[in-house]
Amino acid sequence: MTDLRFLVLGSAAGGGLPQWNCNCSNCAAARDPSFEIIPQTQSSLAVSLDGETWALFNASPDIRQQIQQTPQLHPKTLRHSPIRSVIITNADVDHIGGLLTIREKQAFDLFSTAAIGTVLDANPVFRVLNPAFVQRHSIRLDEVFSPLAGMEARIFAVPGKVALFLEEGEPELGLEGEQTIGVEFLANSKRAYYIPGCATLPDWLCERIRGADLVFFDGTVFTDDEMIRVGTGTKTGQRMGHMPIIGDDHSGSLDVLSQLDIGRMVYVHINNTNPIWRDGPERDAVTAAGFEVGHDGMEIDLA
Amino acid sequence: MTDLRFLVLGSAAGGGLPQWNCNCSNCAAARDPSFEIIPQTQSSLAVSLDGETWALFNASPDIRQQIQQTPQLHPKTLRHSPIRSVIITNADVDHIGGLLTIREKQAFDLFSTAAIGTVLDANPVFRVLNPAFVQRHSIRLDEVFSPLAGMEARIFAVPGKVALFLEEGEPELGLEGEQTIGVEFLANSKRAYYIPGCATLPDWLCERIRGADLVFFDGTVFTDDEMIRVGTGTKTGQRMGHMPIIGDDHSGSLDVLSQLDIGRMVYVHINNTNPIWRDGPERDAVTAAGFEVGHDGMEIDLA
């Protein structure tokens, strides 16, 4: 078995659904069992070839809950984990917070760019990952690496910005470097991408993912001013480093990605305010384009 | 209404029950819905006087899940939280990790000793708690402070050690300083204590809590060599800064606390390996002494 298997551990953006201090209509509905909105945890994807060993792409603060609700990730012996590696795609809290949880003398490989590694090193609290057990690897952009035995992957810069807690004044937006990366998976002549944060889709990036079998893509906000209109924030999606699903002049990810002959398109990293969480015209627009709304527990085998 | 109300948000020690990489008999049972062991989250206590505003004692990595399963802590308006303050009793990850989750421009007061504040300051990742919203307060040992309007509390040093991730070589054990604190609550002529980590019960500490109406106390391990015997670790409870429930020559917390005329005694911060999680002679010993085993969602009103 060398098919790529993907398991969405968390489909929501930072804060999750519901977010602890938010009572927007989505969050309120997610707290009410009589509504159709099921609570969703923060952004993380598990990937496997054999179904026995798994690589985690991003360690969300909800990782303990995510492991608990995912039998594939339960330990098989007294001290054990099927999680063999963790790869970090940016240094925001929703992607690194869970590193504090997967301590307890468990061996795994931790992959990141040097820039993200520097952020971790600057915080002594991450020493809970004892180097005697957790081996750190710096991976270079566009270099092939192996998150699991037999699995080939490659990271590449995507337009983004530094993590919120590292901002000093107004950050550079649409930065292409080691701060925000996408991941390319290659196996069994299939090609898949994981891009949970992306500020724009420039031509070079479109060409890179054109014709892919599967793309998980940044679905943070439906429209750029969504948080402002809902009243939960003052920032645009763009300011947060996320392109909207629908934009002016067909500039949103839905229109751009629709042109790229992608086999299966799944939105992940979806903010609690995003209307695609519930039935309605926005979700209909996504599904009419043949795209899917990711959800916790979603499994995709690229057979 | 000025009664003290306590709500156990998380009764387990670091790692929770089950712990992500542990398959000991307790953890395995907690993953199996047909067993009597209900999963428990990591160490945190909510306290209120009016039932409307709450102070959190420790911010566990499970805080998002804890808030979600506690209607008292749900937001009431678009952006809101009944949580008005957070108090940290030591800098271990199970008590500070949740600070990364309660971001999102929500105002609250964060209280700690200067020593614990220094640990937070040394980690830029805690800048997610924007100082424009989260006000930091250094509290001094034995000084009265007010975690909530109308509530009086006092912190005091208890025997402990520095957080695991700050250890360099063999740490000093039984240190009495700002690293590990207990909390005393005074309201309506009632007196209560929260002491989730404690290495020993010296005479002065016994005298302090003697005659209290309620004590939440460190129930990490039942016996000092428990983790070694279960095979999940090489450290004694003592080495981790936690005194056992049962010790040689009646030196365990059960025997010592039984002599102190305490109204209601509740064990919290219980390790996943502790046999008191399940029915059996160890749990019987605790309940025969009139002590209670804390559990997530446990409510106590000191009326």
Side-chain angles (χ1 to χ4, degrees):
Chain A
M1 290 289 290
T2 51
D3 297 338
L4 281 163
R5 301 172 186 208
F6 299 88
L7 192 46
V8 176
L9 298 182
S11 57
L17 175 73
Q19 180 176 301
W20 78 287
N21 65 336
C22 186
N23 206 29
C24 74
S25 57
N26 282 345
C27 286
R31 286 190 189 94
D32 183 342
S34 67
F35 275 80
E36 88 275 23
I37 295 188
I38 297 167
Q40 304 287 325
T41 60
Q42 294 167 86
S43 177
S44 177
L45 180 73
V47 186
S48 181
L49 286 174
D50 59 9
E52 295 292 324
T53 58
W54 294 83
L56 255 51
F57 289 78
N58 292 319
S60 102
D62 299 322
I63 194 168
R64 186 172 167 271
Q65 185 183 354
Q66 291 168 336
I67 292 171
Q68 203 164 329
Q69 62 201 23
T70 309
Q72 295 94 321
L73 301 182
H74 291 177
K76 306 285 185 287
T77 56
L78 185 57
R79 283 289 166 117
H80 168 263
S81 174
I83 298 168
R84 296 298 166 80
S85 59
V86 178
I87 299 88
I88 304 294
T89 70
N90 76 355
D92 266 311
V93 165
D94 58 334
H95 286 162
I96 65 171
L99 292 175
L100 299 182
T101 288
I102 48 175
R103 56 196 196 281
E104 310 290 0
K105 300 191 173 181
Q106 189 63 46
F108 65 88
D109 291 298
L110 177 57
F111 295 92
S112 74
T113 63
I116 294 173
T118 301
V119 176
L120 299 179
D121 289 338
N123 288 277
V125 71
F126 290 110
R127 288 186 207 152
V128 293
L129 297 181
N130 184 334
F133 298 93
V134 176
Q135 189 156 8
R136 293 272 295 273
H137 307 271
S138 269
I139 37 178
R140 273 182 285 195
L141 299 174
D142 301 303
E143 188 178 73
V144 172
F145 74 107
S146 186
L148 289 175
M151 182 183 288
E152 288 197 347
R154 191 187 274 129
I155 61 166
F156 52 96
V158 298
K161 64 167 188 67
V162 296
L164 178 58
F165 69 89
L166 299 173
E167 287 184 12
E168 293 181 356
E170 284 302 304
E172 186 180 345
L173 301 175
L175 197 65
E176 289 176 20
E178 290 196 342
Q179 291 73 23
T180 310
I181 60 169
V183 186
E184 179 176 74
F185 300 93
L186 299 164
N188 226 2
S189 72
K190 301 282 185 181
R191 191 160 52 98
Y193 293 88
Y194 174 55
I195 307 173
C198 193
T200 59
L201 271 165
D203 289 344
W204 68 261
L205 181 50
C206 291
E207 291 317 309
R208 179 156 204 157
I209 65 180
R210 185 184 292 277
D213 298 284
L214 170 65
V215 175
F216 293 96
F217 196 80
D218 181 346
T220 309
V221 289
F222 193 75
T223 49
D224 193 45
D225 63 351
E226 175 177 302
M227 289 184 60
I228 300 165
R229 284 191 298 116
V230 174
T232 58
T234 56
K235 286 182 185 169
T236 60
Q238 202 60 46
R239 173 60 184 80
M240 298 189 294
H242 300 288
M243 72 184 293
I245 292 176
I246 296 292
D248 294 338
D249 301 323
H250 305 285
S251 64
S253 62
L254 189 76
D255 284 313
V256 177
L257 295 168
S258 290
Q259 309 302 315
L260 301 180
D261 193 27
I262 293 165
R264 199 164 169 184
M265 249 302 311
V266 180
Y267 280 120
V268 290
H269 196 276
I270 304 165
N271 198 48
N272 60 303
T273 51
N274 195 319
I276 65 173
W277 285 124
R278 54 170 74 209
D279 291 336
E282 295 89 354
R283 190 177 178 112
D284 289 346
V286 167
T287 52
F291 287 28
E292 294 167 81
V293 177
H295 59 85
D296 292 13
M298 184 183 209
E299 295 189 43
I300 297 180
D301 284 11
L302 270 195
Chain B
M1 288 290 289
T2 51
D3 297 339
L4 281 163
R5 302 171 185 209
F6 298 89
L7 191 46
V8 176
L9 298 182
S11 57
L17 176 72
Q19 180 176 302
W20 77 288
N21 66 334
C22 186
N23 205 29
C24 73
S25 58
N26 282 345
C27 286
R31 287 191 188 93
D32 183 342
S34 67
F35 274 80
E36 89 274 24
I37 295 188
I38 297 167
Q40 305 287 325
T41 60
Q42 294 167 85
S43 177
S44 177
L45 180 72
V47 186
S48 181
L49 287 175
D50 59 8
E52 295 293 323
T53 58
W54 293 83
L56 254 52
F57 290 78
N58 293 319
S60 102
D62 298 322
I63 195 168
R64 186 173 166 270
Q65 185 184 354
Q66 290 167 338
I67 292 172
Q68 203 165 329
Q69 62 200 22
T70 309
Q72 295 95 320
L73 301 182
H74 291 177
K76 306 285 185 286
T77 56
L78 186 58
R79 282 289 165 116
H80 169 262
S81 175
I83 299 168
R84 296 299 165 81
S85 59
V86 178
I87 298 87
I88 304 294
T89 69
N90 75 356
D92 265 312
V93 165
D94 57 335
H95 286 162
I96 66 171
L99 293 175
L100 300 182
T101 287
I102 48 176
R103 56 194 194 283
E104 311 290 0
K105 301 192 172 179
Q106 189 64 47
F108 65 88
D109 291 298
L110 177 57
F111 295 92
S112 74
T113 62
I116 294 173
T118 301
V119 175
L120 299 179
D121 289 337
N123 288 277
V125 71
F126 291 110
R127 288 185 206 152
V128 294
L129 296 180
N130 184 335
F133 299 93
V134 176
Q135 190 156 5
R136 294 272 295 272
H137 307 271
S138 269
I139 37 177
R140 272 181 285 193
L141 299 175
D142 301 303
E143 189 177 72
V144 171
F145 74 107
S146 186
L148 289 175
M151 182 183 289
E152 287 197 349
R154 191 187 273 128
I155 60 167
F156 52 96
V158 298
K161 65 167 189 65
V162 297
L164 178 58
F165 69 88
L166 298 173
E167 287 184 13
E168 292 182 356
E170 283 302 306
E172 186 181 345
L173 301 175
L175 197 64
E176 288 177 19
E178 291 197 341
Q179 290 74 24
T180 310
I181 60 169
V183 186
E184 180 176 73
F185 300 92
L186 298 165
N188 226 1
S189 73
K190 300 283 185 180
R191 190 159 53 95
Y193 293 88
Y194 174 56
I195 308 173
C198 194
T200 59
L201 271 166
D203 289 343
W204 68 261
L205 181 51
C206 290
E207 290 317 308
R208 180 157 204 155
I209 64 180
R210 184 183 295 275
D213 298 284
L214 171 65
V215 176
F216 293 97
F217 196 81
D218 181 346
T220 309
V221 289
F222 193 76
T223 50
D224 193 46
D225 63 351
E226 175 177 301
M227 289 184 60
I228 300 165
R229 283 190 299 115
V230 174
T232 59
T234 56
K235 286 182 185 169
T236 60
Q238 203 59 46
R239 173 60 183 78
M240 299 188 294
H242 300 288
M243 73 184 293
I245 292 176
I246 296 290
D248 294 340
D249 301 324
H250 304 285
S251 64
S253 61
L254 189 77
D255 284 313
V256 177
L257 294 168
S258 291
Q259 308 303 315
L260 301 180
D261 193 27
I262 293 165
R264 199 164 169 184
M265 249 302 311
V266 181
Y267 279 122
V268 291
H269 196 276
I270 305 165
N271 198 49
N272 59 303
T273 51
N274 194 319
I276 66 173
W277 285 125
R278 54 170 75 210
D279 292 336
E282 295 89 354
R283 189 177 179 113
D284 289 346
V286 167
T287 52
F291 287 27
E292 294 167 81
V293 177
H295 60 85
D296 291 14
M298 183 182 209
E299 294 188 44
I300 297 179
D301 284 10
L302 271 194

